Amino acid sequence: MRKLLRRPSPAMIVACLALLVALGGTSMAAATQLAKNSVGTAQLKNAAVTNLKIKNSAINSAKVANKSLLRSDFAPGQLPAGPTGPQGPAGPAGAAGPTGAAGPAGVIGAITVRTASVVVDGGTGENGAYNSARVTRLCEGNERAISAGTSWSTDAAGRELMTGEFEPQLNAQNQVIGFLAVGLNDSGTDSTFTVHSFCYTP
């Protein structure tokens, strides 16, 4: 007796295809899955792992070994500056430098002799009674008196001619601006007495 085979129904066909797809995916995943810790430094080429292949925040402090990063690993300005350290000891003195060029010559102030005169009566010659007269000569402008002297118009030997007093003259700032002098005459002949003030211009 001959037995007839029935065709599979459409539902049976769809179920069989679904089963094949499911079994195929499982076997593919099993074939591509790698053992844990099977990829290390030796399996990676230089520059194989780039920034684009690393997920954001995938590498954090817990995954970086302490003291493994250097300052050169960071972009400028990313690391804050540390506090200022203590001042170090002074270094040894350096060698003396070469002698510099001579500067311009300074300006020396000028000295001007200012004079004033007075005639002193000679009286009776050599009687011990001296006639006197005083004369003052001040410097001019901003000049300052630094010294002084006196002289007589008659300088013959043996004449009784003397300088009896010599006194500096001061301004309101207590600066010497001239001199006063007193001439004494007992020569019997009138003579001109002169004071010479040496005035310095700064």
Side-chain angles (χ1 to χ4, degrees):
M1 181 177 175
R2 189 175 180 183
K3 187 180 288 189
L4 297 175
L5 297 176
R6 297 180 60 185
R7 289 184 180 180
S9 65
M12 180 63 71
I13 294 174
V14 172
C16 291
L17 289 174
L19 179 60
L20 289 174
V21 172
L23 292 175
T26 302
S27 61
M28 180 65 69
T32 57
Q33 187 175 4
L34 298 175
K36 187 177 181 180
N37 298 326
S38 62
V39 178
T41 303
Q43 285 75 33
L44 294 176
K45 294 181 179 180
N46 291 339
V49 180
T50 63
N51 289 338
L52 296 177
K53 296 178 182 178
I54 299 176
K55 185 179 179 181
N56 291 340
S57 302
I59 298 178
N60 52 35
S61 178
K63 297 178 182 178
V64 178
N66 291 339
K67 301 181 181 179
S68 62
L69 297 179
L70 304 176
R71 178 177 290 272
S72 58
D73 295 323
F74 296 87
Q78 284 189 318
L79 295 179
T84 304
Q87 183 176 354
T99 302
V107 178
I108 299 176
I111 297 177
T112 303
V113 179
R114 309 289 184 185
T115 62
S117 302
V118 63
V119 175
V120 182
D121 182 7
T124 302
E126 300 180 7
N127 65 350
Y130 286 88
N131 293 323
S132 66
R134 63 178 55 202
V135 61
T136 300
R137 185 59 168 103
L138 301 180
C139 296
E140 299 178 0
N142 64 340
E143 296 174 343
R144 298 292 177 266
I146 57 175
S147 184
T150 60
S151 64
W152 291 90
S153 59
T154 304
D155 57 358
R159 292 289 180 91
E160 294 285 341
L161 301 170
M162 295 187 298
T163 299
E165 185 179 346
F166 208 54
E167 181 180 342
Q169 303 299 294
L170 306 178
N171 61 11
Q173 290 75 39
N174 207 36
Q175 297 169 325
V176 181
I177 57 173
F179 285 88
L180 176 150
V182 175
L184 303 177
N185 188 355
D186 187 27
S187 66
T189 303
D190 295 351
S191 186
T192 301
F193 178 69
T194 302
V195 61
H196 307 265
S197 294
F198 295 84
C199 300
Y200 171 76
T201 302

